[in-house]
């Protein structure tokens, strides 16, 4: 390599205080999108990002998304004959939730036992500051001959509608030969990982009505059709006795043919309580269920709150179902099959209403192209470990969108997240060595890759 890994490692290791400072400043913003009372926080994070990209020596433009979030595209032209690399991340976060469940303030980056804790420390502000650290190392080593497009958005956690619309209306802004999506991570700290598949997904709100109004449980309970019981019985048809998802007319038996997900590791990563079973244990592997098969989660439930319970048979009940769609199926196929299943199994003639939204298709990428193959070697060198490949149960609709406008571009997903980060939960954290080593790999690539 023209620029040695030793020199790059020394430079990025020496940035530790700067990386902490960057992440501390950026995580101080409670930058949740679509929350009016937090609009100034989102704007503050956006201003920080714009200044940071400018300080990196890039030509920065910003675009106001149709969803109200600013999108930044920072560029550098390639030298003649050299490809362009798109680097992606986002600066919005999910809500912190109940602050009492955090050990320390979620908007004050705090170091404990070698990890850094804050909302967004890993998802995805840790990836953003990783890009900045890599770009500083690249500048220190004379710059890259490659073209750059650094794309940073502010509404990913709410679906990224603004970015998707901008891609549709201004596709020329995103043209690249290689696309690095930094919104994923390693299977464990220190184990370099490339993500090759993503599940798509969607939302389905299901409402059951059984009575014109609640009726007295003393006078009518037993014979009156309880809407909550009806919903419980209906949703129970979506899992078999071992807990595996089952949807009439849809193949839910696919198998993952890559790196397995050890059940003991999964128990620890998911925080499953002692004595509670992993779904499908002994019948299907964890990787099959989280990367290769449809999944359904009950993410919302509306009936009478416990604190407001009265002696009445419920007349209505609603549930929000989030479903995940593996490669090989489309979101519409799963939505159609799920709706048909629910209508078929609705008990007691209950009136059912179904509203579906937010459909996005799954994604699969080929990592055998020359650029990603070279990046694979950079990751292996940075971590001193062989790279593994996995799927992801999550969705990043951006990947499918970019692939649709640039079918020949090489796309790979990686990042600073790993299971211990517990993203989207209280006490989200990041291992600083993950930021360091991913930045080393990215800098190695940008400095040494040639078309």
């Amino acid at each position: 390599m023209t620029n040695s890994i030793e020199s790059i490692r020394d430079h990025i290791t020496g940035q530790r205080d700067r990386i902490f400072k960057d992440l501390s400043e950026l995580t101080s913003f409670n930058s949740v999108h679509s929350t009016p009372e937090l609009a100034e926080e989102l704007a503050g994070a956006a201003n920080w990002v714009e200044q940071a990209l400018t300080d990196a020596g890039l030509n920065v433009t910003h675009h106001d998304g149709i969803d109200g979030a600013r999108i930044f595209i920072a560029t550098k032209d390639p030298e003649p004959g050299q490809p362009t690399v798109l680097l992606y991340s986002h600066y919005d976060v999910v809500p912190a939730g109940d602050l009492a469940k955090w050990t320390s303030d979620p908007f004050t980056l705090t170091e404990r036992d070698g990890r850094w804790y804050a909302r967004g420390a890993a998802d995805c502000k840790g990836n953003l500051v990783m890009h900045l650290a890599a770009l500083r190392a690249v500048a220190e080593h004379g710059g890259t001959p490659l073209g750059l497009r650094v794309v940073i958005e502010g509404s990913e956690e709410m679906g990224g509608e603004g970015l998707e619309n901008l891609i549709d209306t201004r596709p020329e802004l995103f043209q690249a030969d290689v696309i690095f999506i930094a919104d994923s991570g390693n299977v464990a700290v220190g184990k370099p990982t490339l993500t090759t598949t993503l599940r798509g997904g969607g939302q389905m709100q299901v409402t059951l009505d059984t009575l014109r109004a609640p009726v007295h449980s003393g006078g009518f309970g037993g014979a009156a059709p309880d809407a909550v019981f009806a919903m419980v019985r209906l949703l129970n048809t979506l899992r078999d006795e071992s807990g595996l998802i089952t949807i009439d007319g849809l193949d839910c038996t696919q198998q993952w043919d890559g790196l397995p997900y050890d059940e003991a590791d999964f128990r620890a990563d998911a925080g499953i309580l002692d004595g509670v079973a992993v779904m499908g244990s002994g019948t299907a592997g964890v990787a099959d269920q989280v990367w290769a098969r449809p999944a359904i989660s009950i993410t919302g439930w509306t009936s009478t709150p416990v604190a407001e319970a009265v002696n009445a048979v419920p007349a209505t009940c609603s549930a929000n179902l989030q479903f995940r769609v593996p490669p090989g199926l489309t979101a519409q196929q799963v939505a159609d099959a799920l709706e048909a299943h629910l209508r078929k199994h609705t008990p007691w003639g209950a009136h059912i209403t179904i509203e579906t939204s937010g459909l996005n298709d799954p994604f699969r990428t080929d990592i055998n192209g020359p650029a990603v193959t070279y990046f694979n070697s950079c990751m292996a060198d940075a971590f001193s470990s062989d790279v593994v490949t996995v799927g992801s149960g999550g969705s990043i609709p951006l990947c499918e969108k970019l692939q649709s406008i640039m079918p020949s571009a090489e796309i790979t997903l990686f990042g600073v997240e790993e299971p211990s980060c517990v993203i989207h939960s209280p006490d989200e954290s990041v291992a600083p060595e993950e930021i360091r080593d991913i930045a080393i790999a990215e800098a190695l690539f940008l400095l040494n890759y040639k078309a």
Side-chain angles (χ1 to χ4, degrees):
M1 292 183 176
T2 304
N3 294 280
S4 72
I5 187 170
E6 291 82 7
S7 176
I8 294 168
R9 184 182 300 281
D10 287 347
H11 186 273
I12 291 178
T13 300
Q15 291 189 47
R16 189 181 193 277
D17 289 346
R18 173 63 185 275
I19 294 169
F20 184 89
K21 178 177 181 292
D22 283 352
L23 191 56
S24 178
E25 292 176 355
L26 189 52
T27 56
S28 71
F29 297 102
N30 185 7
S31 51
V32 177
H33 186 267
S34 299
T35 304
E37 60 268 28
L38 295 176
E40 290 188 6
E41 296 284 320
L42 185 69
N47 292 338
W48 191 97
V49 170
E50 185 168 26
Q51 187 60 55
L53 294 173
T54 301
D55 292 344
L58 301 171
N59 178 29
V60 183
T61 60
H62 83 256
H63 305 265
D64 295 323
I66 60 171
D67 54 12
R70 272 183 280 171
I71 302 157
F72 299 99
I73 302 177
T75 62
K76 182 195 85 70
D77 291 335
E79 293 182 5
Q82 294 303 315
T84 292
V85 181
L86 187 155
L87 309 178
Y88 167 85
S89 190
H90 63 87
Y91 62 87
D92 63 309
V93 295
V94 299
D98 183 357
L99 300 186
K101 294 182 178 181
W102 286 77
T103 304
S104 54
D105 176 40
F107 307 109
T108 302
L109 189 66
T110 303
E111 184 166 3
R112 293 195 306 274
D113 301 321
R115 296 184 68 91
W116 297 345
Y117 290 80
R119 172 56 84 228
D123 182 23
C124 200
K125 294 173 178 180
N127 284 304
L128 201 163
V129 301
M130 176 276 295
H131 283 322
L132 295 174
L135 291 172
R136 283 193 291 268
V138 168
E140 179 68 18
H141 288 78
T144 176
L146 308 178
L148 290 174
R149 291 186 186 274
V150 184
V151 177
I152 311 294
E153 66 165 312
S155 63
E156 191 275 343
E157 300 292 3
M158 296 300 294
E161 181 184 12
L163 182 57
E164 289 200 23
N165 176 263
L166 186 62
I167 294 171
D168 285 337
T169 56
R170 298 287 306 279
E172 74 279 2
L173 296 174
F174 301 90
Q175 294 302 306
D177 305 285
V178 184
I179 299 171
F180 286 170
I181 305 292
D183 194 7
S184 184
N186 293 340
V187 294
V189 173
K191 190 61 178 176
T193 305
L194 298 182
T195 298
T196 60
T197 66
L198 298 167
R199 289 191 294 193
Q203 307 281 340
M204 186 170 287
Q205 183 172 310
V206 183
T207 300
L208 296 183
D209 293 297
T210 57
L211 301 162
R212 286 191 293 271
V215 294
H216 193 280
S217 59
F220 298 94
D226 183 320
V228 174
F229 261 114
M231 184 67 79
V232 169
R233 179 162 290 199
L234 174 59
L235 297 185
N236 194 48
T237 67
L238 294 170
R239 288 189 184 270
D240 67 15
E241 290 300 316
S242 70
L244 293 176
I245 295 295
T246 175
I247 304 171
D248 290 352
L250 197 67
D251 182 8
C252 297
T253 64
Q254 299 94 329
Q255 294 183 318
W256 175 253
D257 59 5
L259 182 76
Y261 199 154
D262 181 77
E263 186 170 304
D265 290 341
F266 179 77
R267 291 189 67 91
D269 294 343
I272 297 174
L273 299 178
D274 291 344
V276 178
V278 174
M279 297 294 93
S281 181
T283 306
V286 170
D288 298 335
Q289 297 182 69
V290 299
W291 298 333
R293 299 184 181 185
I296 301 170
S297 299
I298 305 169
T299 57
W301 182 276
T302 302
S303 182
T304 307
V306 171
E308 301 172 17
V310 294
N311 299 328
V313 178
T316 187
C317 182
S318 295
N320 193 78
L321 308 182
Q322 184 180 74
F323 55 91
R324 299 289 183 170
V325 181
L329 296 171
T330 68
Q332 192 64 59
Q333 282 177 304
V334 174
D336 290 345
L338 178 56
E339 179 169 350
H341 177 110
L342 294 170
R343 292 189 183 282
K344 175 183 175 182
H345 291 278
T346 300
W348 313 324
H351 295 187
I352 184 169
T353 304
I354 297 176
E355 296 180 4
T356 301
S357 63
L359 297 183
N360 63 91
D361 284 327
F363 172 78
R364 185 188 301 274
T365 186
D366 180 0
I367 62 170
N368 296 311
V372 177
T373 298
Y374 187 77
F375 181 69
N376 185 309
S377 70
C378 293
M379 288 274 279
D381 288 342
F383 283 85
S384 299
S385 176
D386 291 339
V387 176
V388 299
T389 58
V390 298
S392 173
S395 302
I396 306 177
L398 169 69
C399 295
E400 185 74 16
K401 178 68 69 172
L402 290 174
Q403 191 174 62
S404 71
I405 67 166
M406 294 175 284
S408 62
E410 294 185 55
I411 303 177
T412 192
L413 296 95
F414 58 92
V416 306
E417 302 163 24
E418 39 77 27
S420 301
C421 296
V422 293
I423 64 171
H424 292 202
S425 297
D427 280 353
E428 177 181 351
S429 68
V430 68
E433 60 267 32
E434 294 290 278
I435 297 178
R436 177 197 66 201
D437 292 345
I438 295 289
I440 291 169
E442 190 166 279
L444 273 172
F445 179 90
L446 295 176
L447 285 165
N448 294 299
Y449 182 70
K450 303 290 192 298

